[in-house]
Amino acid sequence: MKAIRVHEFGGPEVLKLEDVPTPKPSAGQVLVRIHAAGVNPYDTYMRAGTYAVKPALPYTPGSDGAGVVEAVGEGVKKVKQGDRVYTARTLTGAYAEYALALEEQVHPLPEKIDFKQGAGLWVPYGTAYHALHHSAKAHASETVLVHGASGGVGIAALQIARAIGLKVLGTAGTPKGLEIAKREGAHQAFDHRKAGYQEEILQATHNRGVDIILEMLANVNLAHDTKLLANNGRVIVIGSRGEVTINARELMGRRASIRAFTLWAITPEEEADIHAGIFAGLENGTLRPIVGKELPLDEAARTHKEILEPGAAGKLVLVC
Ligand code: NAP
């Protein structure tokens, strides 16, 4: 089979398309013919060797794939050959024509969701679901600011927040991103490249502040986020690419808090919740993964450059 292999940590150029043996499922494992793989920012940090999780070399990147079950190992009951599935982590990597996964890492993909959309489920929707439900414990009567609403996690968060009933504000950095944010659930969208946009956000809440901020770039925004919160508000840090200084007094006066997590560290119960929520949302139409760009597997290096560039407009996927 064709697979992307990384033999040394480094820049996008270390992603090489190679021929490797197609794996065979052992007991409790599932072999999936991957039709599309989602590219996530963490894939690039891992490839660079700077991420908390460092895989043994060589490895094939990718936790998010969608495709059809090719074969199952002994004892597998959850899926059978021919089933459409998405993966939430794999054993051998999703940037490949086939991926081996544990039975618990594959999940049913509703008929109406195509494979490219299915490749944008686990990390984006899992993160957004965990941030809103488990971390922020969002209520329908609250206002959420999705700070970075045009990318994978942001769009998922808009859709989930709208489905729960919150008032939803979103930000993006381009006209296209702003249009997507409004289309996918933001009642109002703000340009995070425009000077003074935070004042516009406050005005949109009649100076009360927002209850929840889902923050995609904490190193840039966290200090100001604390000033946008209502009483008992909480910032949920999802993404951060550097250090930041904050004034804790802004939190104290508001009884506010900052929480943070990585999807790697959630509990099995939380993960079960997430997959049940994703499946239900896909079936009832409240969740609709948006594919912004698709590229063939041999262009993996290009996707690793583009995913870190500004101007997000949906999910970046590799067609395998
Ligand atoms: P993505 O698809 O590349 O989207 C990036 C988003 O960040 C876009 O909406 C982008 O908007 C926005 N952004 C850029 N500059 C911003 C600014 N100054 N203020 C606010 N937002 C800004 O990435 P993603 O998959 O959504 O992931 C977002 C971040 O969360 C990444 O850093 C990722 O590593 C992290 N993440 C963390 C976890 C976790 O477990 N904690 C899980 C998933 C993702 P424009 O392009 O329109 O400017």
Side-chain angles (χ1 to χ4, degrees):
M1 68 168 185
K2 301 261 182 242
I4 295 294
R5 301 291 281 165
V6 174
H7 291 270
E8 56 178 334
F9 296 119
E13 69 285 353
V14 302
L15 298 167
K16 308 273 190 221
L17 185 70
E18 293 179 2
D19 286 304
V20 297
T22 305
K24 289 192 173 42
S26 304
Q29 299 180 348
V30 178
L31 181 68
V32 182
R33 168 69 180 99
I34 299 288
H35 288 285
V39 177
N40 288 297
Y42 93 84
D43 297 341
T44 71
Y45 321 147
M46 197 178 258
R47 182 217 66 229
T50 57
Y51 198 55
V53 180
K54 252 193 191 178
L57 296 169
Y59 80 100
T60 295
S63 51
D64 298 15
V68 176
V69 173
E70 178 80 9
V72 299
E74 206 185 310
V76 170
K77 294 196 176 66
K78 187 174 170 184
V79 293
K80 58 181 188 318
Q81 192 188 23
D83 283 357
R84 302 170 84 255
V85 293
Y86 71 92
T87 63
R89 300 181 294 274
T90 71
L91 297 169
T92 57
Y95 289 18
E97 287 178 325
Y98 293 87
L100 208 54
L102 296 173
E103 180 176 17
E104 56 267 32
Q105 294 171 333
V106 298
H107 302 274
L109 187 67
E111 277 300 326
K112 64 179 166 190
I113 303 300
D114 69 30
F115 295 124
K116 289 170 220 158
Q117 292 176 296
L121 285 176
W122 168 233
V123 169
Y125 282 83
T127 301
Y129 189 101
H130 184 68
L132 281 163
H133 284 284
H134 300 142
S135 193
K137 301 194 187 338
H139 295 280
S141 57
E142 295 187 305
T143 298
V144 62
L145 169 66
V146 181
H147 214 166
S150 48
V153 178
I155 291 173
L158 295 173
Q159 294 175 355
I160 295 170
R162 267 311 273 269
I164 306 172
L166 280 86
K167 177 170 178 186
V168 183
L169 309 179
T171 77
T174 62
K176 193 175 178 191
L178 289 164
E179 192 189 309
I180 290 174
K182 278 190 259 182
R183 193 188 71 206
E184 296 308 322
H187 292 96
Q188 282 174 268
F190 305 86
D191 181 352
H192 54 226
R193 301 207 197 293
K194 185 177 161 194
Y197 75 99
Q198 295 98 335
E199 191 51 40
E200 292 176 14
I201 292 171
L202 264 185
Q203 281 167 13
T205 68
H206 307 292
N207 289 322
R208 176 186 168 272
V210 297
D211 300 292
I212 301 164
I213 299 178
L214 302 190
E215 183 54 63
M216 305 303 156
L217 202 54
N219 54 304
V220 172
N221 297 320
L222 192 59
H224 208 290
D225 284 348
T226 59
K227 301 177 189 168
L228 292 180
L229 290 174
N231 286 345
N232 298 306
R234 48 265 189 228
V235 181
I236 312 299
V237 175
I238 294 174
S240 189
R241 294 183 178 161
E243 293 186 5
V244 58
T245 302
I246 64 157
N247 181 354
R249 287 200 164 272
E250 299 287 352
L251 298 174
M252 292 158 70
R254 295 174 171 83
R255 291 167 38 118
S257 56
I258 299 171
R259 304 197 65 181
F261 67 88
T262 69
L263 198 58
W264 300 100
I266 65 171
T267 66
E269 293 75 20
E270 288 169 337
E271 184 165 346
D273 249 7
I274 286 171
H275 292 296
I278 289 176
F279 190 82
L282 294 174
E283 279 223 312
N284 68 29
T286 50
L287 305 187
R288 308 161 305 275
I290 305 297
V291 177
K293 191 170 195 178
E294 54 182 89
L295 286 167
L297 189 56
D298 62 4
E299 297 224 46
R302 183 171 154 199
T303 65
H304 273 218
K305 287 187 201 110
E306 292 189 4
I307 189 79
L308 296 181
E309 287 166 3
K315 189 72 214 163
L316 190 50
V317 303
L318 285 166
V319 178
C320 305

